[in-house]
Amino acid sequence: MTLPRRALLLLTTAALPAFASAATPAVASTTEVAGDAADATAADEIIVYGRGQVRSVAEIGQPDIARLTPGSSPFKAIEKLPGVNFESADAFGVYEWSTRISLRGFNQNQLGFTLDGIPLGDMSYGNTNGLHISRAIISDNIGKVEVSQGAGALGTASTSNLGGTIQFFSRAPQKDFGVTANASYGSNKTYRAFVDIDTGEIGAFKGFLSYAYIDAGKWKGVGTQRAHQANAKGVLDVGAVKLTAIANFSDRKEQDYQDLSLDQIARLGYNLDNIADNFPLAKAIATAYQTGTAFPAPFKTVDDSYYDAGGLRRDYLTALKAEATLGEGLTVSVQGYYHNNKGQGSWFTPYVPSPGVGNPISFRTTEYSINREGVIGTLGYDLGRNKFAATVWYENNDFKQARRFYAVTGTTVPNTTALTYQSNPFFTQWYNKFNTKTFQFSVQDTFQLTDRFSVSAGFKGNSVKLNASQIAVTNARAVGSIKNEDYFQPQAGVLYKIDANNELYASYTENQRAYTAAATSGPFATTQPGFDFLVSQGKLKPETSRTVEGGYRFGAGNVHGVVAVYYIDFSNRIIATTTGAGIVGNAATLRNIGSARSYGVETGVTWRIAKPLTLTASYAYNDSTYRDATFLGKQTVDTPRNIANVELAYDQDGFYARGNLNYMSKRYFTYSNDQSVPSHAVVDAKVGYRIASTDRWLNGLGIEGSVTNATDTTYISTIGSNGYGASGDNQTLLAGAPRQFFVTISKTF
């Protein structure tokens, strides 16, 4: 079942010009994500609260995503949804080291993520089986985002979706030829540009080509977050067959902010950062540590401030999808995809000197290489009252990872930077390769018992086989072969429609999270003795969850919303306890702490106060605790009990404005709950104007201003940047960005 990656890449990239030469008349598509075929029933809704679904689902479309500062992460758009907890240390929400999203007590690597059905892995920073959404697609090209807070659809291509899924869909190419461009400038000399060309309909073909560039200066310290991105999409409709091809590229380079502890904040303040403008001082700190002499004031430890750190990622993502109607009610689709990644995470480390050059600092990297290819097949059969669906997904993923050290020379400035791919290491600590083969299938049937009452039931099964081995360098990281298989993970739900605007739903779901294969996450991230002990004692078991939820979707006049309650039983929860500073890179200690339990309530409402004025609000309460004897009753890390969001939006006659307040309560960053960060509330705002004119140069011209963290709140955004400890303070916190301003000019031709 392995799909030859080069053949897929060539086929996908060759498809665009081939599609353009077709002359067969186009037919109406039933699967367009956004744009020309937008869902008419939801056209006026900012949030669609999953009408007709037996599970908790909420959807946000492109118009609402466009309300964000251009270039912002789509996660910024969905943080208004009930139960969504999103944090980032930058104004755009795209600084990958800091981005964290969680749902109902499940953290990021326990959720599932897809783009147009293509698996994105668990979206962790050192991703082993996918890529972050900020690299997978330019945010301007996202058509909609669908969040399933409890459990995703059975056919979702993910083996990490214990606690829900977030599915992104690219926009549809437009019917008419057009050019769209925007440019933004703002705080810290940040600038961003985007340009898109839509071909319009050329016979049966339509497509678009987009490019974006951002250079966002750090709000403290010295450095930048920089990215080039290009997206291409082509759609060809030929009778009953539709072909869609995408080719996306991203080259991202970002300099890190300093990870903080509560002690560092108390001594040195929230503005403490790496000292990338003072190499002599960084060398003095390293020398003091290595010789046991006094540190330069005001620093007291070697970890108080490093010279610099960074993250580099280069990705190619391609896919080709064919959809066809084979008969009355019978549809089928097949999608092949290929993803290639090269990455590097780095620190200038004072722990290891550069040999032979008299420099107390060396350059430490974690290097990544991903080559994965897969195929997804779906079958649908609509018999009227019965709707049957089946899916099959297979992926082969080859992943390599290395920890290397490079010599640094220079007196006042180093000979290299954190934004440079390194070569010629003087030491390789470990270099391992991992192969993961994933097979998953699902079947589901939805039966309409009456006009108001329907039942949905089905199950999925998967087999994930992992192999880890060492390349050339004998090291202490665990190797071996493991697998997890579960061929019956059921889902069932009921839906009762009270009337056209009100409905009740309930569902039960079982899910399993597959192991990941890497030297920095999953069971191979520990030592060989630690891995062998877990296996021999039967403690190495895949995490599983059982979710029961129910809710009421309501609507009356200009008000609609949802109230949902849920209970989750989480078994075989694996925690990784970190020791030492993150820069040291010690192997994690893994432990199966048994079960955790979550229950809570979520509510969201949208009120169209007047035609141009809309109020959106959400609130979620979550009680998520460990059930193991050691941490019995302790709240799960990075899980606020209370999350609330309020947004007011105005849009009429070209003028638009938006104000948003996001609140979350206290969060713990130790399993014993002895360390926490306080609650915070952040306000963002935006105002703009679009010109409608008969003058082609004025028509479609717009200008807008936005402010993030308008009240200039000082707070901790991300926790767990270097993992979580059992107890005690830890250098694993990141400060949130202060108030920042941005201005954007846009034009559509």
Side-chain angles (χ1 to χ4, degrees):
M1 296 181 68
T2 301
L3 190 64
R5 63 178 68 119
R6 292 188 178 180
L8 175 60
L9 178 61
L10 292 172
L11 181 61
T12 304
T13 53
L16 289 171
F19 289 172
S21 65
T24 307
V27 297
S29 171
T30 60
T31 57
E32 296 283 25
V33 169
D36 303 328
D39 184 0
T41 64
D44 294 328
E45 297 182 15
I46 290 178
I47 300 174
V48 180
Y49 292 107
R51 283 192 302 267
Q53 302 274 3
V54 299
R55 53 199 168 88
S56 295
V57 182
E59 176 187 311
I60 285 183
Q62 190 176 33
D64 198 57
I65 297 172
R67 289 179 176 175
L68 301 173
T69 302
S72 295
S73 166
F75 286 143
K76 293 281 287 182
I78 65 174
E79 68 179 353
K80 73 178 72 174
L81 298 179
V84 176
N85 169 26
F86 175 65
E87 287 296 327
S88 181
D90 69 313
F92 290 92
V94 295
Y95 170 40
E96 285 192 37
W97 179 254
S98 70
T99 55
R100 297 291 186 277
I101 190 162
S102 62
L103 302 172
R104 295 182 177 178
F106 289 93
N107 61 41
Q108 190 161 293
N109 60 21
Q110 294 162 334
L111 305 177
F113 303 90
T114 64
L115 170 64
D116 292 338
I118 303 166
L120 300 179
D122 63 13
M123 213 169 288
S124 57
Y125 175 77
N127 203 321
T128 67
N129 58 359
L131 70 164
H132 202 277
I133 186 59
S134 62
R135 289 183 275 128
I137 188 172
I138 301 170
S139 58
D140 304 66
N141 289 328
I142 294 179
K144 72 173 183 179
V145 185
E146 183 180 285
V147 179
S148 301
Q149 288 95 331
L154 269 174
T156 303
S158 171
T159 57
S160 59
N161 57 330
L162 277 178
T165 62
I166 300 177
Q167 300 183 82
F168 303 92
F169 299 88
S170 61
R171 69 175 180 88
Q174 302 300 309
K175 286 184 177 180
D176 300 318
F177 173 82
V179 178
T180 299
N182 60 60
S184 303
Y185 182 80
S187 298
N188 307 112
K189 297 182 180 179
T190 293
Y191 56 92
R192 194 248 186 191
F194 168 79
V195 62
D196 168 77
I197 300 175
D198 269 78
T199 66
E201 292 183 342
I202 305 174
F205 171 81
K206 57 183 178 181
F208 65 76
L209 178 64
S210 305
Y211 170 77
Y213 174 75
I214 187 171
D215 191 329
K218 290 175 58 178
W219 61 265
K220 65 175 178 176
V222 176
T224 185
Q225 280 133 24
R226 185 180 302 144
H228 296 268
Q229 288 183 274
N231 295 169
K233 182 176 182 178
V235 178
L236 177 68
D237 280 303
V238 185
V241 178
K242 175 184 175 182
L243 298 176
T244 303
I246 67 168
N248 295 346
F249 166 77
S250 171
D251 187 10
R252 182 166 183 81
K253 298 180 179 181
E254 55 188 27
Q255 285 171 275
D256 289 327
Y257 291 95
Q258 174 82 23
D259 299 298
L260 306 174
S261 66
L262 294 178
D263 171 68
Q264 286 175 299
I265 294 172
R267 289 188 292 109
L268 301 167
Y270 283 88
N271 286 331
L272 172 68
D273 198 33
N274 296 321
I275 46 176
D277 59 342
N278 197 335
F279 190 53
L281 176 58
K283 291 196 296 182
I285 293 173
T287 298
Y289 167 73
Q290 293 167 18
T291 59
T293 56
F295 289 98
F299 305 116
K300 292 184 177 180
T301 77
V302 68
D303 299 306
D304 274 350
S305 189
Y306 309 123
Y307 176 69
D308 205 3
L312 287 66
R313 299 289 188 275
R314 185 176 298 148
D315 294 272
Y316 300 86
L317 180 66
T318 62
L320 179 62
K321 184 176 184 179
E323 303 167 86
T325 301
L326 301 182
E328 186 175 354
L330 182 62
T331 59
V332 64
S333 72
V334 178
Q335 178 170 238
Y337 61 89
Y338 170 67
H339 172 219
N340 173 271
N341 166 267
K342 176 183 178 181
Q344 174 185 291
S346 62
W347 259 303
F348 282 82
T349 176
Y351 282 88
V352 180
S354 295
V357 295
N359 197 317
I361 292 176
S362 65
F363 195 100
R364 196 219 80 171
T365 67
T366 306
E367 299 174 21
Y368 310 86
S369 170
I370 298 175
N371 279 287
R372 63 187 182 108
E373 59 272 334
V375 61
I376 305 167
T378 65
L379 177 70
Y381 196 21
D382 189 342
L383 297 172
R385 287 193 177 275
N386 266 82
K387 294 180 175 63
F388 174 80
T391 67
V392 176
W393 168 43
Y394 176 80
E395 179 179 280
N396 182 77
N397 177 27
D398 290 312
F399 174 61
K400 294 180 181 179
Q401 196 175 30
R403 170 68 46 76
R404 295 190 171 107
F405 293 81
Y406 299 82
V408 176
T409 61
T411 303
T412 58
V413 294
N415 64 318
T416 189
T417 74
L419 302 183
T420 304
Y421 282 101
Q422 302 298 303
S423 60
N424 300 320
F426 67 80
F427 175 58
T428 297
Q429 185 177 3
W430 44 260
Y431 181 25
N432 293 356
K433 62 179 180 180
F434 309 88
N435 176 261
T436 303
K437 289 181 170 61
T438 302
F439 172 73
Q440 179 172 288
F441 69 91
S442 70
V443 292
Q444 183 175 16
D445 183 44
T446 300
F447 184 60
Q448 193 77 37
L449 292 171
T450 69
D451 291 342
R452 293 188 175 185
F453 186 69
S454 62
V455 177
S456 177
F459 69 95
K460 70 177 178 181
N462 52 39
S463 172
V464 181
K465 300 177 180 179
L466 308 94
N467 179 266
S469 59
Q470 298 177 352
I471 305 175
V473 180
T474 301
N475 61 83
R477 287 294 200 270
V479 296
S481 296
I482 54 174
K483 68 177 181 179
N484 52 260
E485 294 178 334
D486 186 348
Y487 291 111
F488 186 70
Q489 300 169 51
Q491 288 190 17
V494 295
L495 177 73
Y496 179 73
K497 295 185 177 181
I498 301 171
D499 54 37
N501 297 310
N502 296 271
E503 61 188 27
L504 298 168
Y505 68 93
S507 66
Y508 171 79
T509 305
E510 292 185 11
N511 273 309
Q512 174 181 272
R513 179 191 176 215
Y515 306 123
T516 56
T520 53
S521 63
F524 296 118
T526 190
T527 62
Q528 192 68 51
F531 174 82
D532 293 340
F533 176 79
L534 287 172
V535 173
S536 65
Q537 296 297 310
K539 298 293 186 180
L540 189 59
K541 298 178 180 179
E543 296 176 330
T544 61
S545 65
R546 295 191 296 269
T547 301
V548 179
E549 65 177 357
Y552 169 48
R553 298 187 186 100
F554 57 87
N558 294 327
V559 177
H560 69 277
V562 65
V563 178
V565 294
Y566 60 88
Y567 176 86
I568 304 170
D569 184 26
F570 183 1
S571 300
N572 297 315
R573 182 147 190 165
I574 303 296
I575 64 171
T577 305
T578 56
T579 58
I583 195 172
V584 179
N586 292 328
T589 301
L590 303 181
R591 178 179 175 184
N592 186 331
I593 63 166
S595 65
R597 179 215 61 195
S598 295
Y599 64 86
V601 59
E602 298 167 342
T603 182
V605 63
T606 299
W607 176 24
R608 182 63 60 89
I609 302 172
K611 186 175 182 181
L613 186 64
T614 303
L615 175 69
T616 303
S618 67
Y619 169 76
Y621 172 81
N622 173 271
D623 186 302
S624 181
T625 55
Y626 301 110
R627 312 309 294 167
D628 175 75
T630 305
F631 303 116
L632 181 62
K634 301 300 183 181
Q635 190 171 328
T636 56
V637 293
D638 199 13
T639 305
R641 285 264 173 98
N642 300 278
I643 302 174
N645 193 287
V646 179
E647 180 176 286
L648 191 63
Y650 180 91
D651 194 332
Q652 186 175 38
D653 299 329
F655 177 79
Y656 58 95
R658 166 187 173 269
N660 177 278
L661 181 146
N662 182 266
Y663 166 84
M664 69 177 58
S665 59
K666 178 174 68 175
R667 294 165 292 157
Y668 294 100
F669 62 93
T670 60
Y671 298 111
S672 64
N673 287 183
D674 70 325
Q675 300 290 334
S676 65
V677 298
S679 62
H680 69 264
V682 177
V683 176
D684 297 336
K686 181 178 185 178
V687 62
Y689 184 73
R690 298 179 298 265
I691 299 174
S693 172
T694 56
D695 187 314
R696 63 172 298 190
W697 297 106
L698 290 177
N699 188 52
L701 182 65
I703 184 170
E704 66 182 37
S706 59
V707 56
T708 58
N709 192 3
T711 57
D712 204 21
T713 299
T714 300
Y715 68 103
I716 292 296
S717 59
T718 305
I719 65 175
S721 59
N722 277 312
Y724 304 100
S727 63
D729 200 5
N730 188 5
Q731 195 171 337
T732 193
L733 314 175
L734 288 164
R739 180 169 52 225
Q740 294 190 290
F741 298 92
F742 303 94
V743 175
T744 300
I745 297 176
S746 60
K747 179 69 171 76
T748 300
F749 295 91

